[in-house]
Amino acid sequence: MELLVHGVGGTTPEKMLGDPRTVRVTGDDTAAVFRRAEDAGPPEAPDDATTGGRSRGEPVREAYVWCNLTSGNGSRALWLLLLPFMVVNLAHWMRPAAPDRTRTVRLYGLLVRLVALSLTVLLVAAACEVALDLVAWQCAGATACSGRHSWLAFLSPAGHGWWSAPGRRLALAALVPTALTALLWYLSHRTWSAYESHRPMARTPEADPNAGALASPGFWYGRRLGARLRAAHTAAGLLTVAAALTFPTLRHDHHPALLHTLGLLLGAALLGWALTVVLVVCRRGRSEARLDSRTDRHLVRGLPLGALALLLLAALYAGWSRPGRHSAGRLPGDPVFSTLMLIQGVLAVALAVVAYDLYRRDPDPRAAMRGLGGPAVALLACALGGVASGGVAQRVADWLDGTRSSLSGPPVTLTWQASAIPPLLVVLLATTGLLAARVARLARVERERVRDQHPGEPEDPARTRAIARTRAMAGLTDRAPLLLAVVAVTTLLFGAAALTGSLTTGLPPARAAHGADEPVRIAAETAQALGSWLVGLGLLLFVTWGRRAYKDASARRTIGILWDVGTFWPRAAHPFAPPCYAERAVPDLTWRTATWTERTGGRLVLSGHSQGSVLVAAAAWQLTPATRERVALLTYGSPLERLYGRWFPAHFGPDALAALHRDIGPWTNLYRRTDPIGGPLRVPGEPQVDHEPLADPRAYGRTPEHPLPAPILGHSDYQDDPAFARARAHLLARLHPGLPAQRPADREGEEPPD
């Protein structure tokens, strides 16, 4: 049998199997295995007792369709707004390979979890800044601003209503960040139940240490850590809202002494509970060596409930009547955002030190950025969170106040962060220009190679240029580490400059540059204005793209591709990241492969394209050694080494792939030089895994076999290449041809399917 697994973007079982009539063998509407109707047999027959494929001398083919795990629902397009959480979760899995440095590996995971926790606090603090400071404190407290927005009339002091008291306005506005935190908790809990709660097959751990964590029984079941992190991040969000209510009010409460004392006690309780949250995040990482189904029920329930109780007390404390209090200026938010920015920078630098220490112990020349990819990605996540927070705050302030300058505006730190976007874009455009020049040079070199590969054929300059340009563009994938390095270094430098500028001047960039030279002043004003508009435009494009996905299937598939790549890994660092589809797909493939081989004793080829090749490799790691020997791998257009091996060396590095090659049955990998995603696996050992590069296009000019111009396929249509059928037949021939026949318990008179 051949079990086909599609790649990014998804497809239909009819297209995978080449037949308009398909039936579902097992699975549900989210992910399922399909066969052609003629291979399925009568309804009363077991799914492995079929004859359709054998009558043609071919293996029975099944298609595992998992696209609905990522792009089936249009509402999932709005998960683009959780991009910083997804990015920081990737940083957890990008550490260098260091099997003998257990403590350092744990420290790496701890630092990433702390960065992820700071992002949650940053998001909720930004929501508090918009709702509590800009809307309830500044705009509702200023008659000129509230008069322009009728929906704020009941909060205005001019109306002398019950909600016009500053503390009560703050308590009411706190519902917005509280609802945001509750929504994130709900989405995290709901998606875990829908996608990640499927238990893998129970088995003993691998004896081979080189097999890596992907062979561990508990790798694809992070229930315990997920529940702990979800409780801790929810509590952190609620405590952030409570702190936004308590500490500004405490600054006002010097008299009467009773309220001041209550405020001090409440502030101490908030700090103590926040320390508990940090300890919970630091206390335990992933437990992969065994299938851990515990949930720490008391901790999971008690941590957010305690934070919610403190939030209610903070709302009562802030809303208590204080006749002499009025809103002026802005709430003290600058120290919060400056401290968060400093903490994130220190954590990113510490993470880089730890990652380099891991890398130098066992250097891998193919690892991206010399093992510093994880810290760079973590820094990028912090930059995305900070820039989005600053841009949204600035845009809301401009919308509320216009050009009348009746509001103090957002904290200076956020304005400086948003102002860093234009110079960062200039650096990115310059780097893109350099990469474009490199592509042009590579294309000229490739034109000579194309001519040399087709001697004696009439020269077609346009055809030669098209092939050479496609090969050169495909090589850009290998330059991604350079682009990320430039972004990370630039982000760190501009972030440090923004933090220094906000702390030293205490003014927005445009006002801080008033006394400077004319070019400096114009540059500062332009950066501040463009920064807020660019972030607002980016968020508008995200929301528009998400709304379009409800009606446009092609847009939904495009968005799904982003999540296919970014959400393969479990939520080990941030529980509010989009769900991991592999925690459903890998157990599905493992169960199907193991149960079919046990029932039939037949030969099975796991055939994966693109991201599907990563899934079949992960499923093969989860099989028992005895089952693994009876399974062959056929990968094509595979990013296993080119992307995953370079960016995630601890899990897909050369040692891990070599260990899988030793334990699995025969393995063949197909690739093209024009493919921007797939590539050779470079797995050491015999027999060789990598097939020679497939010709693309299959014919340079017109031939009797190709009377019309053959297309340049790149990453698609590998199964249509004649080399695919030859490779599959070769694998089946090499896959233990002397295996015993089907067991007596199966249907009598039938041979085991191939």
Side-chain angles (χ1 to χ4, degrees):
M1 184 175 79
E2 179 186 14
L3 181 55
L4 296 162
V5 184
H6 64 76
V8 296
T11 184
T12 62
E14 292 80 11
K15 185 174 181 180
M16 293 178 69
L17 298 174
D19 195 314
R21 299 180 301 112
T22 61
V23 295
R24 184 166 64 189
V25 174
T26 182
D28 54 21
D29 292 336
T30 302
V33 173
F34 294 84
R35 279 187 182 181
R36 290 177 290 199
E38 60 183 297
D39 290 342
E44 66 273 9
D47 58 16
D48 56 331
T50 60
T51 59
R54 291 192 303 281
S55 65
R56 295 182 300 270
E58 299 177 356
V60 175
R61 306 179 74 196
E62 289 187 347
Y64 178 67
V65 180
W66 55 274
C67 54
N68 285 336
L69 286 171
T70 54
S71 57
N73 189 342
S75 63
R76 296 174 197 166
L78 298 179
W79 288 348
L80 284 167
L81 301 177
L82 304 180
L83 185 62
F85 299 161
M86 184 189 75
V87 172
V88 76
N89 192 66
L90 285 178
H92 174 89
W93 302 105
M94 297 175 71
R95 65 171 177 82
D100 299 329
R101 301 296 302 277
T102 305
R103 291 186 177 180
T104 310
V105 168
R106 290 177 179 173
L107 177 59
Y108 181 94
L110 168 63
L111 291 174
V112 177
R113 292 198 301 274
L114 290 177
V115 173
L117 183 65
S118 71
L119 283 175
T120 297
V121 175
L122 176 62
L123 173 69
V124 180
C128 291
E129 168 60 30
V130 171
L132 275 69
D133 186 14
L134 294 177
V135 176
W137 183 262
Q138 296 188 39
C139 187
T143 305
C145 182
S146 60
R148 293 194 299 271
H149 304 281
S150 58
W151 53 279
L152 290 176
F154 73 106
L155 298 177
S156 175
H160 303 287
W162 192 83
W163 289 107
S164 62
R168 291 170 186 161
R169 297 202 307 264
L170 293 179
L172 180 63
L175 291 176
V176 174
T178 303
L180 174 63
T181 305
L183 176 63
L184 291 175
W185 173 88
Y186 170 75
L187 289 176
S188 178
H189 184 272
R190 177 177 172 272
T191 53
W192 187 90
S193 300
Y195 302 107
E196 298 162 293
S197 59
H198 296 265
R199 293 170 61 94
M201 296 188 71
R203 60 181 185 83
T204 56
E206 289 287 328
D208 186 0
N210 292 324
L214 285 168
S216 302
F219 187 88
W220 299 108
Y221 194 67
R223 178 180 183 181
R224 188 178 189 186
L225 179 63
R228 290 170 65 94
L229 289 180
R230 185 163 54 246
H233 282 246
T234 303
L238 296 175
L239 290 174
T240 303
V241 183
L245 290 172
T246 301
F247 291 107
T249 306
L250 184 60
R251 296 180 60 184
H252 179 271
D253 281 343
H254 297 289
H255 301 287
L258 178 60
L259 281 178
H260 185 64
T261 302
L262 291 176
L264 290 176
L265 292 175
L266 181 57
L270 290 174
L271 293 177
W273 207 249
L275 180 60
T276 303
V277 169
V278 174
L279 291 176
V280 168
V281 172
C282 297
R283 177 66 179 84
R284 183 183 295 276
R286 283 176 57 84
S287 54
E288 299 168 350
R290 59 187 177 87
L291 196 62
D292 193 352
S293 59
R294 292 175 291 177
T295 58
D296 302 322
R297 190 177 303 273
H298 297 294
L299 176 67
V300 169
R301 291 181 178 179
L303 206 60
L305 288 178
L308 181 60
L310 291 176
L311 175 58
L312 294 176
L313 291 176
L316 291 174
Y317 171 69
W320 197 268
S321 179
R322 295 171 175 82
R325 189 183 185 190
H326 62 279
S327 57
R330 65 168 69 96
L331 291 177
D334 267 319
V336 174
F337 292 102
S338 299
T339 303
L340 280 174
M341 193 174 180
L342 179 61
I343 290 174
Q344 289 177 343
V346 171
L347 288 175
V349 172
L351 190 64
V353 173
V354 173
Y356 186 74
D357 181 61
L358 290 173
Y359 175 80
R360 69 184 181 88
R361 298 288 178 174
D362 187 15
D364 178 6
R366 289 285 297 172
M369 297 179 60
R370 297 182 179 272
L372 298 180
V377 167
L379 187 64
L380 178 61
C382 296
L384 288 172
V387 166
S389 301
V392 169
Q394 188 66 50
R395 292 305 309 140
V396 171
D398 293 342
W399 169 63
L400 290 173
D401 194 36
T403 59
R404 297 171 176 82
S405 300
S406 60
L407 302 184
S408 300
V412 174
T413 304
L414 293 182
T415 304
W416 277 87
Q417 286 180 330
S419 302
I421 297 177
L424 178 61
L425 289 179
V426 171
V427 175
L428 288 179
L429 288 175
T431 306
T432 304
L434 293 177
L435 291 177
R438 177 180 175 81
V439 169
R441 291 195 301 270
L442 289 176
R444 288 193 294 269
V445 174
E446 287 294 337
R447 284 201 292 269
E448 296 298 328
R449 293 178 180 174
V450 172
R451 295 189 189 101
D452 294 340
Q453 290 171 357
H454 302 281
E457 296 191 44
E459 172 70 19
D460 185 346
R463 181 75 158 171
T464 301
R465 284 195 300 270
I467 298 173
R469 184 172 57 252
T470 303
R471 290 182 182 179
M473 292 294 293
L476 279 179
T477 303
D478 301 320
R479 310 302 299 173
L482 172 63
L483 183 61
L484 180 60
V486 171
V487 172
V489 172
T490 306
T491 298
L492 185 62
L493 294 178
F494 285 170
L499 181 61
T500 302
S502 64
L503 292 178
T504 54
T505 65
L507 297 172
R511 293 179 58 187
H514 272 180
D517 296 336
E518 186 72 11
V520 176
R521 183 179 62 81
I522 294 176
E525 293 176 351
T526 303
Q528 180 174 333
L530 280 178
S532 62
W533 278 104
L534 286 174
V535 173
L537 178 62
L539 291 176
L540 180 62
L541 290 176
F542 271 161
V543 174
T544 303
W545 202 5
R547 287 176 61 88
R548 181 188 169 197
Y550 280 94
K551 301 179 179 179
D552 189 346
S554 62
R556 188 157 59 245
R557 284 192 298 269
T558 303
I559 295 171
I561 291 174
L562 301 177
W563 301 126
D564 289 351
V565 176
T567 61
F568 168 79
W569 298 99
R571 294 185 273 193
H574 207 299
F576 298 155
C580 166
Y581 62 87
E583 288 198 2
R584 165 70 190 271
V586 172
D588 282 356
L589 292 171
T590 306
W591 275 92
R592 182 57 180 166
T593 302
T595 55
W596 188 88
T597 53
E598 288 179 4
R599 284 171 56 87
T600 68
R603 296 170 291 171
L604 187 143
V605 175
L606 284 174
S607 176
H609 172 241
S610 187
Q611 190 71 11
S613 68
V614 183
L615 291 176
V616 298
W621 262 304
Q622 288 290 304
L623 298 172
T624 61
T627 305
R628 204 179 295 157
E629 293 177 354
R630 305 168 68 171
V631 174
L633 288 184
L634 178 56
T635 55
Y636 38 102
S638 173
L640 269 171
E641 194 281 335
R642 192 178 189 183
L643 296 180
Y644 282 81
R646 298 189 66 191
W647 292 101
F648 307 99
H651 302 89
F652 289 96
D655 292 339
L657 292 179
L660 181 61
H661 183 210
R662 288 193 302 268
D663 296 339
I664 199 72
W667 185 0
T668 298
N669 178 64
L670 308 177
Y671 68 98
R672 301 185 180 111
R673 289 195 177 98
T674 55
D675 191 337
I677 297 175
L681 300 186
R682 299 182 174 89
V683 179
E686 293 294 337
Q688 291 293 319
V689 170
D690 290 322
H691 190 279
E692 64 181 15
L694 303 184
D696 188 31
R698 296 178 198 166
Y700 178 78
R702 298 175 184 263
T703 66
E705 293 79 11
H706 300 277
L708 298 181
I712 302 175
L713 299 175
H715 189 58
S716 62
D717 295 330
Y718 273 89
Q719 295 182 48
D720 296 336
D721 196 298
F724 181 89
R726 292 195 299 267
R728 182 182 60 194
H730 186 58
L731 287 175
L732 288 170
R734 291 169 50 196
L735 185 61
H736 300 285
L739 282 176
Q742 196 167 358
R743 298 175 181 177
D746 291 346
R747 291 172 57 91
E748 297 181 358
E750 291 187 352
E751 299 175 359
D754 289 336

